[in-house]
Amino acid sequence: MGRYRAYPEYKASGVAWLDEVPYHWIISKVKYLAPFQVGWTPPTKNDANFDGNNLWANISDLKGRYIEDTAKRISDHAAKVASMDITPRGSLLYSYKLSVGAVSFASKDMYTNEAIASFLEDGRLPLSYLYYALPKFVIENASTNIYGARILNQELINGAFLLSPSYGEAEQIANFLDHETAKIDTLIEKQQQLIKLLKEKRQAVISHAVTKGLTNLPGANLNSSSAAGPKGEGRDSPSNPDAPMRDSGVEWLGEVPAHWVVAQLKFYTLDMQTGPFGSQLHAEDYVDDGIPLVNPAHMVNGKIMPDSKVSVDIDTQKRLERHKLFEGDLIFARRGELGRCAIVSKEQEGWLCGTGSLKAKLNDRLLPEYSYLLITSEGVTSELSLESKGSTMDNLNTETLGRVRIPVPPVEEQRKILAYVHRIAGKYEGIVEKAVYQVGLLRERRTALISSAVTGKIDVRHWEGANG
């Protein structure tokens, strides 16, 4: 914060974490400086309570700076029975149960549930200042840890310390933070767009390589701009634009190299097996820190990330012997996000395929990593979804998976394509990591700037907006 000046005079705050504060600021509590009201949740057994046109804010509605609409409504009758007070347009809504510290302004009159404190404009402090100050002061002063979660109640909020500059100075602080955080937010958004673009381009290169080979690769001869792609991508590609192609006979796939085989996945597997049914595995079979069961939630970016609480003992492992995993196996999510899968490593041999999963052992004509890249490509996931069964969600079984048609080059060519993918993916990932790091730095700067302004570490009374 070196570019900003400090106040000319400070005094001890008497609050350990706050240290010194500007001499003319008042140290008080929320209940004296920012009164609030809370809402109510009607009994759900009476559907008529929710058969109305009144906006009714829940914690999930506090997503941005303004609440334009709410996911739920409440009836006039329910509001009257509970003697609920309307939260007028312009009020500041503060979440103090789940998502502690989330704040949004009400763009319209609305009611709220009991997990939201509604701060009303009353002339003591501007709500624009409280938008920045409340998350800092209330959490610092009044939150408590229960099983690792931060929670609040009305008493804790009322007792939280709050610093009060003059009304005009508080408005100036809010205007300063609006301007400066907007600039930071714009930079963050640009970095996030870059990250999204790079991930999309990375996936496009990978999907093209494993479905078309190293021919006419997208992004060849790209310049060094990080927004365009990794420098030298074209030179890294052993691309042969003159390689003969043929129609694959698969609509989503189009043309493939003429010497590739297009066939159903089942012809490249030695075995496919779904996980144990519910009757084979009961709640009492689970132990902590035992032999992991692998369910869809444990498959992350092609790797298995086990949960120590989702595991069984050796006796259960022996009973479920047919569901054991071996190095090189592919394990798939059977429900929900089709195409979600992971490769079993040597260290994971003996772990078990979970109830929500399906495992496949490949033959020597299809490399596990190549198969993983194929299965997670957009075309294959779309075909899986079309082939899958299930009225409410996609559902994968061995028959469905086995029918999926895939393009398979010779094994040696698979290795060359994988080597190319590793080089290119690594370059993209390096750029993404730098962008993610920049986002982290920007968010830290945003938080530090807000903290410095609302605690009086910097003096912005002479700030002049865009010209300051």
Side-chain angles (χ1 to χ4, degrees):
M1 301 301 147
R3 56 181 284 204
Y4 304 108
R5 69 181 73 177
Y7 280 88
E9 192 174 2
Y10 287 85
K11 64 183 176 182
S13 68
V15 180
W17 69 268
L18 194 51
D19 196 18
E20 294 185 326
V21 298
Y23 187 81
H24 62 288
W25 285 22
I26 296 171
I27 305 170
S28 189
K29 293 185 177 181
V30 169
K31 62 182 176 181
Y32 301 123
L33 296 172
F36 62 89
Q37 65 185 39
V38 297
W40 178 70
T41 298
T44 55
K45 62 183 179 181
N46 186 353
D47 293 338
N49 287 329
F50 300 96
D51 185 17
N53 296 318
N54 299 301
L55 299 179
W56 183 55
N58 287 263
I59 291 171
S60 60
D61 295 312
L62 277 68
K63 295 177 181 177
R65 187 179 177 100
Y66 298 98
I67 301 176
E68 302 288 348
D69 197 2
T70 59
K72 297 181 180 180
R73 299 288 191 272
I74 196 172
S75 67
D76 290 327
H77 172 76
K80 183 177 180 180
V81 168
S83 300
M84 295 174 68
D85 293 320
I86 196 80
T87 294
R89 174 185 176 185
S91 299
L92 180 64
L93 278 58
Y94 180 97
S95 167
Y96 67 91
K97 290 192 177 177
L98 299 175
S99 302
V100 171
V103 284
S104 295
F105 289 103
S107 292
K108 302 173 183 176
D109 291 350
M110 61 184 64
Y111 294 100
T112 76
N113 71 2
E114 70 283 359
I116 294 174
S118 297
F119 292 84
L120 315 181
E121 182 71 69
D122 70 349
R124 280 177 260 192
L125 281 172
L127 295 181
S128 57
Y129 169 77
L130 293 177
Y131 175 81
Y132 295 105
L134 281 173
K136 172 68 177 176
F137 283 94
V138 174
I139 290 179
E140 288 282 1
N141 286 276
S143 61
T144 184
N145 283 319
I146 294 183
Y147 304 116
R150 305 187 98 175
I151 66 166
L152 290 166
N153 57 35
Q154 295 179 55
E155 181 181 359
L156 291 171
I157 296 174
N158 272 317
F161 287 104
L162 187 61
L163 288 181
S164 175
S166 68
Y167 193 95
E169 188 175 348
E171 279 190 320
Q172 176 77 345
I173 291 171
N175 291 336
F176 163 78
L177 289 174
D178 283 348
H179 184 269
E180 295 300 314
T181 59
K183 292 194 296 185
I184 295 173
D185 290 342
T186 297
L187 293 175
I188 290 173
E189 177 61 24
K190 287 181 178 179
Q191 287 295 313
Q192 289 176 329
Q193 289 176 356
L194 173 61
I195 291 168
K196 181 181 178 182
L197 174 64
L198 289 168
K199 288 182 175 179
E200 288 175 350
K201 288 177 68 66
R202 173 186 177 276
Q203 187 57 46
V205 169
I206 292 172
S207 294
H208 184 100
V210 297
T211 57
K212 305 292 184 185
L214 302 177
T215 60
N216 300 315
L217 283 159
N221 300 318
L222 293 176
N223 60 37
S224 59
S225 167
S226 61
K231 184 177 180 180
E233 180 177 309
R235 291 195 303 273
D236 282 340
S237 166
S239 173
N240 177 11
D242 299 320
M245 306 288 283
R246 66 176 176 84
D247 182 20
S248 67
V250 180
E251 183 176 354
W252 68 265
L253 186 54
E255 290 190 332
V256 296
H259 62 288
W260 285 22
V261 175
V262 178
Q264 293 179 332
L265 180 61
K266 64 184 177 182
F267 296 115
Y268 292 91
T269 61
L270 300 173
D271 178 58
M272 285 190 189
Q273 173 70 52
T274 55
F277 291 102
S279 59
Q280 296 174 288
L281 192 61
H282 303 91
E284 57 268 24
D285 293 323
Y286 290 89
V287 299
D288 288 348
D289 300 314
I291 297 156
L293 282 160
V294 182
N295 284 312
H298 308 136
M299 305 172 201
V300 182
N301 296 326
K303 299 184 184 301
I304 299 174
M305 310 294 287
D307 182 343
S308 61
K309 296 184 180 300
V310 184
S311 61
V312 296
D313 59 22
I314 292 177
D315 289 340
T316 304
Q317 181 202 41
K318 290 180 179 177
R319 178 167 60 82
L320 299 175
E321 180 82 20
R322 64 186 298 195
H323 301 291
K324 271 189 179 181
L325 299 173
F326 296 91
E327 181 182 12
D329 284 356
L330 284 180
I331 185 164
F332 301 82
R334 292 182 54 220
R335 296 185 291 270
E337 185 187 339
L338 298 186
R340 187 172 191 168
C341 61
I343 304 171
V344 179
S345 68
K346 179 67 176 178
E347 294 74 21
Q348 295 159 348
E349 282 201 347
W351 293 8
L352 297 172
C353 179
T355 301
S357 305
L358 180 159
K359 69 185 180 80
K361 182 179 294 295
L362 304 174
N363 62 31
D364 58 8
R365 291 181 294 161
L366 184 58
L367 300 177
E369 188 177 358
Y370 197 88
S371 177
Y372 167 78
L373 295 178
L374 273 175
I375 295 297
T376 55
S377 66
E378 184 178 352
V380 174
T381 56
S382 297
E383 183 157 341
L384 280 173
S385 184
L386 289 173
E387 289 281 353
S388 65
K389 303 185 185 301
S391 56
T392 58
M393 67 168 62
D394 293 336
N395 199 325
L396 192 65
N397 56 40
T398 55
E399 181 182 356
T400 301
L401 182 62
R403 281 202 304 264
V404 171
R405 295 161 294 178
I406 57 172
V408 181
V411 170
E412 188 55 37
E413 191 171 349
Q414 292 178 42
R415 292 194 178 98
K416 291 179 180 179
I417 292 172
L418 287 174
Y420 167 75
V421 164
H422 287 161
R423 288 197 301 273
I424 296 305
K427 291 181 179 181
Y428 275 106
E429 286 166 6
I431 302 171
V432 168
E433 286 175 4
K434 289 179 181 178
V436 169
Y437 179 70
Q438 288 298 318
V439 168
L441 290 180
L442 288 166
R443 284 176 172 160
E444 287 177 7
R445 173 171 173 74
R446 188 184 195 278
T447 299
L449 187 64
I450 292 171
S451 177
S452 295
V454 300
T455 60
K457 297 297 185 290
I458 57 175
D459 183 355
V460 299
R461 288 175 296 179
H462 304 289
W463 176 80
E464 297 179 354
N467 298 317

mmCIF file of all heavy atoms in Angstrom, residues 1 184-185 187-192 195 431-449:
data_model
loop_
_atom_site.group_PDB
_atom_site.id
_atom_site.type_symbol
_atom_site.label_atom_id
_atom_site.label_comp_id
_atom_site.label_asym_id
_atom_site.label_seq_id
_atom_site.Cartn_x
_atom_site.Cartn_y
_atom_site.Cartn_z
ATOM 1 N N MET A 1 0.826 -1.203 0.000
ATOM 2 C CA MET A 1 0.000 0.000 0.000
ATOM 3 C C MET A 1 0.869 1.266 0.000
ATOM 4 O O MET A 1 0.477 2.311 0.489
ATOM 5 C CB MET A 1 -0.921 -0.011 1.234
ATOM 6 C CG MET A 1 -1.852 -1.217 1.291
ATOM 7 S SD MET A 1 -2.926 -1.336 -0.145
ATOM 8 C CE MET A 1 -3.064 -3.099 -0.315
ATOM 9 N N ILE A 184 -9.405 -3.859 -10.161
ATOM 10 C CA ILE A 184 -8.825 -5.176 -9.855
ATOM 11 C C ILE A 184 -9.709 -6.290 -10.385
ATOM 12 O O ILE A 184 -9.233 -7.271 -10.968
ATOM 13 C CB ILE A 184 -8.608 -5.318 -8.336
ATOM 14 C CG1 ILE A 184 -7.568 -4.309 -7.839
ATOM 15 C CG2 ILE A 184 -8.173 -6.742 -7.983
ATOM 16 C CD1 ILE A 184 -7.416 -4.265 -6.334
ATOM 17 N N ASP A 185 -11.026 -6.132 -10.201
ATOM 18 C CA ASP A 185 -11.966 -7.153 -10.679
ATOM 19 C C ASP A 185 -11.885 -7.319 -12.189
ATOM 20 O O ASP A 185 -12.025 -8.437 -12.720
ATOM 21 C CB ASP A 185 -13.398 -6.803 -10.269
ATOM 22 C CG ASP A 185 -13.630 -6.938 -8.765
ATOM 23 O OD1 ASP A 185 -12.818 -7.620 -8.106
ATOM 24 O OD2 ASP A 185 -14.606 -6.356 -8.267
ATOM 25 N N LEU A 187 -9.194 -6.856 -14.041
ATOM 26 C CA LEU A 187 -7.962 -7.607 -14.302
ATOM 27 C C LEU A 187 -8.155 -9.087 -13.995
ATOM 28 O O LEU A 187 -7.681 -9.955 -14.730
ATOM 29 C CB LEU A 187 -6.817 -7.040 -13.468
ATOM 30 C CG LEU A 187 -6.349 -5.622 -13.838
ATOM 31 C CD1 LEU A 187 -5.298 -5.142 -12.847
ATOM 32 C CD2 LEU A 187 -5.788 -5.594 -15.258
ATOM 33 N N ILE A 188 -8.854 -9.383 -12.895
ATOM 34 C CA ILE A 188 -9.132 -10.772 -12.543
ATOM 35 C C ILE A 188 -9.962 -11.445 -13.622
ATOM 36 O O ILE A 188 -9.682 -12.570 -14.041
ATOM 37 C CB ILE A 188 -9.845 -10.859 -11.174
ATOM 38 C CG1 ILE A 188 -8.880 -10.471 -10.038
ATOM 39 C CG2 ILE A 188 -10.403 -12.266 -10.932
ATOM 40 C CD1 ILE A 188 -9.540 -10.377 -8.685
ATOM 41 N N GLU A 189 -10.996 -10.747 -14.092
ATOM 42 C CA GLU A 189 -11.864 -11.305 -15.127
ATOM 43 C C GLU A 189 -11.085 -11.588 -16.408
ATOM 44 O O GLU A 189 -11.287 -12.632 -17.053
ATOM 45 C CB GLU A 189 -13.010 -10.338 -15.415
ATOM 46 C CG GLU A 189 -13.953 -10.767 -16.529
ATOM 47 C CD GLU A 189 -14.663 -12.073 -16.254
ATOM 48 O OE1 GLU A 189 -14.818 -12.443 -15.080
ATOM 49 O OE2 GLU A 189 -15.054 -12.747 -17.234
ATOM 50 N N LYS A 190 -10.171 -10.699 -16.767
ATOM 51 C CA LYS A 190 -9.365 -10.922 -17.971
ATOM 52 C C LYS A 190 -8.473 -12.149 -17.803
ATOM 53 O O LYS A 190 -8.309 -12.951 -18.742
ATOM 54 C CB LYS A 190 -8.517 -9.691 -18.265
ATOM 55 C CG LYS A 190 -9.310 -8.510 -18.812
ATOM 56 C CD LYS A 190 -8.405 -7.322 -19.113
ATOM 57 C CE LYS A 190 -9.200 -6.159 -19.696
ATOM 58 N NZ LYS A 190 -8.347 -4.988 -19.974
ATOM 59 N N GLN A 191 -7.890 -12.307 -16.636
ATOM 60 C CA GLN A 191 -7.057 -13.482 -16.389
ATOM 61 C C GLN A 191 -7.887 -14.761 -16.415
ATOM 62 O O GLN A 191 -7.461 -15.790 -16.940
ATOM 63 C CB GLN A 191 -6.342 -13.349 -15.039
ATOM 64 C CG GLN A 191 -5.218 -12.331 -15.027
ATOM 65 C CD GLN A 191 -4.071 -12.719 -15.935
ATOM 66 O OE1 GLN A 191 -3.604 -13.855 -15.933
ATOM 67 N NE2 GLN A 191 -3.603 -11.770 -16.743
ATOM 68 N N GLN A 192 -9.094 -14.690 -15.859
ATOM 69 C CA GLN A 192 -9.958 -15.874 -15.859
ATOM 70 C C GLN A 192 -10.414 -16.236 -17.266
ATOM 71 O O GLN A 192 -10.542 -17.417 -17.601
ATOM 72 C CB GLN A 192 -11.154 -15.635 -14.935
ATOM 73 C CG GLN A 192 -10.765 -15.617 -13.461
ATOM 74 C CD GLN A 192 -11.916 -15.283 -12.542
ATOM 75 O OE1 GLN A 192 -12.830 -14.543 -12.917
ATOM 76 N NE2 GLN A 192 -11.886 -15.800 -11.333
ATOM 77 N N ILE A 195 -7.484 -17.970 -18.818
ATOM 78 C CA ILE A 195 -7.383 -19.339 -18.308
ATOM 79 C C ILE A 195 -8.386 -20.247 -19.024
ATOM 80 O O ILE A 195 -8.053 -21.351 -19.454
ATOM 81 C CB ILE A 195 -7.618 -19.363 -16.787
ATOM 82 C CG1 ILE A 195 -6.448 -18.685 -16.062
ATOM 83 C CG2 ILE A 195 -7.795 -20.792 -16.277
ATOM 84 C CD1 ILE A 195 -6.720 -18.397 -14.598
ATOM 85 N N ILE A 431 1.431 -21.915 -18.702
ATOM 86 C CA ILE A 431 0.842 -20.585 -18.851
ATOM 87 C C ILE A 431 -0.378 -20.434 -17.942
ATOM 88 O O ILE A 431 -0.583 -19.390 -17.316
ATOM 89 C CB ILE A 431 0.454 -20.322 -20.317
ATOM 90 C CG1 ILE A 431 1.676 -20.447 -21.226
ATOM 91 C CG2 ILE A 431 -0.160 -18.941 -20.472
ATOM 92 C CD1 ILE A 431 1.352 -20.427 -22.701
ATOM 93 N N VAL A 432 -1.187 -21.498 -17.859
ATOM 94 C CA VAL A 432 -2.366 -21.464 -16.982
ATOM 95 C C VAL A 432 -1.943 -21.262 -15.529
ATOM 96 O O VAL A 432 -2.546 -20.472 -14.790
ATOM 97 C CB VAL A 432 -3.206 -22.753 -17.130
ATOM 98 C CG1 VAL A 432 -4.244 -22.861 -16.021
ATOM 99 C CG2 VAL A 432 -3.887 -22.789 -18.493
ATOM 100 N N GLU A 433 -0.904 -21.961 -15.102
ATOM 101 C CA GLU A 433 -0.431 -21.822 -13.722
ATOM 102 C C GLU A 433 -0.018 -20.390 -13.422
ATOM 103 O O GLU A 433 -0.292 -19.862 -12.339
ATOM 104 C CB GLU A 433 0.736 -22.776 -13.466
ATOM 105 C CG GLU A 433 0.325 -24.232 -13.329
ATOM 106 C CD GLU A 433 1.512 -25.162 -13.208
ATOM 107 O OE1 GLU A 433 2.663 -24.664 -13.154
ATOM 108 O OE2 GLU A 433 1.296 -26.387 -13.163
ATOM 109 N N LYS A 434 0.647 -19.739 -14.375
ATOM 110 C CA LYS A 434 1.051 -18.344 -14.171
ATOM 111 C C LYS A 434 -0.171 -17.441 -14.062
ATOM 112 O O LYS A 434 -0.211 -16.524 -13.230
ATOM 113 C CB LYS A 434 1.940 -17.887 -15.330
ATOM 114 C CG LYS A 434 3.320 -18.526 -15.336
ATOM 115 C CD LYS A 434 4.150 -18.042 -16.527
ATOM 116 C CE LYS A 434 5.520 -18.704 -16.542
ATOM 117 N NZ LYS A 434 6.326 -18.289 -17.719
ATOM 118 N N ALA A 435 -1.183 -17.700 -14.895
ATOM 119 C CA ALA A 435 -2.403 -16.884 -14.847
ATOM 120 C C ALA A 435 -3.152 -17.105 -13.543
ATOM 121 O O ALA A 435 -3.677 -16.158 -12.948
ATOM 122 C CB ALA A 435 -3.296 -17.213 -16.047
ATOM 123 N N VAL A 436 -3.211 -18.353 -13.082
ATOM 124 C CA VAL A 436 -3.872 -18.656 -11.809
ATOM 125 C C VAL A 436 -3.146 -17.958 -10.660
ATOM 126 O O VAL A 436 -3.764 -17.418 -9.738
ATOM 127 C CB VAL A 436 -3.921 -20.176 -11.568
ATOM 128 C CG1 VAL A 436 -4.356 -20.498 -10.144
ATOM 129 C CG2 VAL A 436 -4.867 -20.842 -12.567
ATOM 130 N N TYR A 437 -1.809 -17.963 -10.731
ATOM 131 C CA TYR A 437 -1.016 -17.287 -9.706
ATOM 132 C C TYR A 437 -1.314 -15.792 -9.694
ATOM 133 O O TYR A 437 -1.443 -15.178 -8.627
ATOM 134 C CB TYR A 437 0.470 -17.538 -9.977
ATOM 135 C CG TYR A 437 1.403 -16.870 -8.993
ATOM 136 C CD1 TYR A 437 1.499 -17.313 -7.681
ATOM 137 C CD2 TYR A 437 2.192 -15.785 -9.397
ATOM 138 C CE1 TYR A 437 2.355 -16.688 -6.781
ATOM 139 C CE2 TYR A 437 3.055 -15.158 -8.508
ATOM 140 C CZ TYR A 437 3.129 -15.616 -7.199
ATOM 141 O OH TYR A 437 3.973 -14.992 -6.320
ATOM 142 N N GLN A 438 -1.446 -15.201 -10.875
ATOM 143 C CA GLN A 438 -1.759 -13.784 -10.968
ATOM 144 C C GLN A 438 -3.126 -13.479 -10.370
ATOM 145 O O GLN A 438 -3.312 -12.461 -9.682
ATOM 146 C CB GLN A 438 -1.722 -13.320 -12.431
ATOM 147 C CG GLN A 438 -0.327 -13.231 -13.022
ATOM 148 C CD GLN A 438 0.536 -12.205 -12.289
ATOM 149 O OE1 GLN A 438 0.082 -11.120 -11.942
ATOM 150 N NE2 GLN A 438 1.786 -12.577 -12.052
ATOM 151 N N VAL A 439 -4.095 -14.354 -10.620
ATOM 152 C CA VAL A 439 -5.428 -14.173 -10.029
ATOM 153 C C VAL A 439 -5.327 -14.184 -8.508
ATOM 154 O O VAL A 439 -5.950 -13.369 -7.817
ATOM 155 C CB VAL A 439 -6.403 -15.266 -10.520
ATOM 156 C CG1 VAL A 439 -7.693 -15.256 -9.703
ATOM 157 C CG2 VAL A 439 -6.724 -15.066 -12.000
ATOM 158 N N GLY A 440 -4.543 -15.109 -7.968
ATOM 159 C CA GLY A 440 -4.361 -15.176 -6.521
ATOM 160 C C GLY A 440 -3.761 -13.895 -5.968
ATOM 161 O O GLY A 440 -4.218 -13.381 -4.933
ATOM 162 N N LEU A 441 -2.746 -13.367 -6.647
ATOM 163 C CA LEU A 441 -2.121 -12.121 -6.198
ATOM 164 C C LEU A 441 -3.110 -10.952 -6.244
ATOM 165 O O LEU A 441 -3.157 -10.116 -5.327
ATOM 166 C CB LEU A 441 -0.911 -11.794 -7.070
ATOM 167 C CG LEU A 441 0.319 -12.695 -6.925
ATOM 168 C CD1 LEU A 441 1.422 -12.230 -7.870
ATOM 169 C CD2 LEU A 441 0.830 -12.697 -5.485
ATOM 170 N N LEU A 442 -3.901 -10.894 -7.314
ATOM 171 C CA LEU A 442 -4.877 -9.818 -7.442
ATOM 172 C C LEU A 442 -5.938 -9.893 -6.350
ATOM 173 O O LEU A 442 -6.357 -8.864 -5.794
ATOM 174 C CB LEU A 442 -5.536 -9.870 -8.825
ATOM 175 C CG LEU A 442 -4.656 -9.448 -9.999
ATOM 176 C CD1 LEU A 442 -5.287 -9.851 -11.324
ATOM 177 C CD2 LEU A 442 -4.417 -7.924 -9.964
ATOM 178 N N ARG A 443 -6.390 -11.106 -6.033
ATOM 179 C CA ARG A 443 -7.390 -11.257 -4.965
ATOM 180 C C ARG A 443 -6.803 -10.874 -3.607
ATOM 181 O O ARG A 443 -7.490 -10.262 -2.777
ATOM 182 C CB ARG A 443 -7.903 -12.697 -4.945
ATOM 183 C CG ARG A 443 -8.877 -12.984 -6.083
ATOM 184 C CD ARG A 443 -9.303 -14.424 -6.113
ATOM 185 N NE ARG A 443 -10.377 -14.620 -7.090
ATOM 186 C CZ ARG A 443 -10.689 -15.790 -7.614
ATOM 187 N NH1 ARG A 443 -10.021 -16.882 -7.258
ATOM 188 N NH2 ARG A 443 -11.678 -15.884 -8.482
ATOM 189 N N GLU A 444 -5.545 -11.240 -3.393
ATOM 190 C CA GLU A 444 -4.893 -10.842 -2.143
ATOM 191 C C GLU A 444 -4.790 -9.323 -2.064
ATOM 192 O O GLU A 444 -5.012 -8.733 -0.999
ATOM 193 C CB GLU A 444 -3.501 -11.467 -2.063
ATOM 194 C CG GLU A 444 -3.504 -12.956 -1.796
ATOM 195 C CD GLU A 444 -2.109 -13.545 -1.799
ATOM 196 O OE1 GLU A 444 -1.131 -12.772 -1.887
ATOM 197 O OE2 GLU A 444 -1.988 -14.790 -1.726
ATOM 198 N N ARG A 445 -4.450 -8.684 -3.177
ATOM 199 C CA ARG A 445 -4.345 -7.220 -3.192
ATOM 200 C C ARG A 445 -5.704 -6.589 -2.916
ATOM 201 O O ARG A 445 -5.810 -5.594 -2.182
ATOM 202 C CB ARG A 445 -3.797 -6.741 -4.536
ATOM 203 C CG ARG A 445 -3.822 -5.225 -4.668
ATOM 204 C CD ARG A 445 -3.100 -4.716 -5.888
ATOM 205 N NE ARG A 445 -3.291 -3.286 -6.041
ATOM 206 C CZ ARG A 445 -2.712 -2.349 -5.301
ATOM 207 N NH1 ARG A 445 -1.892 -2.700 -4.336
ATOM 208 N NH2 ARG A 445 -2.950 -1.067 -5.506
ATOM 209 N N ARG A 446 -6.751 -7.133 -3.504
ATOM 210 C CA ARG A 446 -8.105 -6.606 -3.292
ATOM 211 C C ARG A 446 -8.477 -6.673 -1.807
ATOM 212 O O ARG A 446 -8.972 -5.700 -1.230
ATOM 213 C CB ARG A 446 -9.093 -7.409 -4.132
ATOM 214 C CG ARG A 446 -10.505 -6.856 -4.157
ATOM 215 C CD ARG A 446 -11.408 -7.795 -4.951
ATOM 216 N NE ARG A 446 -12.662 -7.176 -5.301
ATOM 217 C CZ ARG A 446 -13.713 -7.085 -4.488
ATOM 218 N NH1 ARG A 446 -13.631 -7.578 -3.263
ATOM 219 N NH2 ARG A 446 -14.832 -6.511 -4.884
ATOM 220 N N THR A 447 -8.234 -7.835 -1.204
ATOM 221 C CA THR A 447 -8.552 -8.013 0.209
ATOM 222 C C THR A 447 -7.742 -7.067 1.087
ATOM 223 O O THR A 447 -8.271 -6.449 2.016
ATOM 224 C CB THR A 447 -8.280 -9.471 0.629
ATOM 225 O OG1 THR A 447 -9.107 -10.350 -0.147
ATOM 226 C CG2 THR A 447 -8.573 -9.685 2.112
ATOM 227 N N ALA A 448 -6.453 -6.948 0.779
ATOM 228 C CA ALA A 448 -5.583 -6.076 1.572
ATOM 229 C C ALA A 448 -5.989 -4.617 1.437
ATOM 230 O O ALA A 448 -5.951 -3.849 2.419
ATOM 231 C CB ALA A 448 -4.132 -6.264 1.139
ATOM 232 N N LEU A 449 -6.387 -4.198 0.241
ATOM 233 C CA LEU A 449 -6.791 -2.811 0.015
ATOM 234 C C LEU A 449 -8.048 -2.480 0.812
ATOM 235 O O LEU A 449 -8.136 -1.424 1.460
ATOM 236 C CB LEU A 449 -7.034 -2.582 -1.477
ATOM 237 C CG LEU A 449 -7.313 -1.139 -1.906
ATOM 238 C CD1 LEU A 449 -6.102 -0.259 -1.646
ATOM 239 C CD2 LEU A 449 -7.706 -1.084 -3.375
#
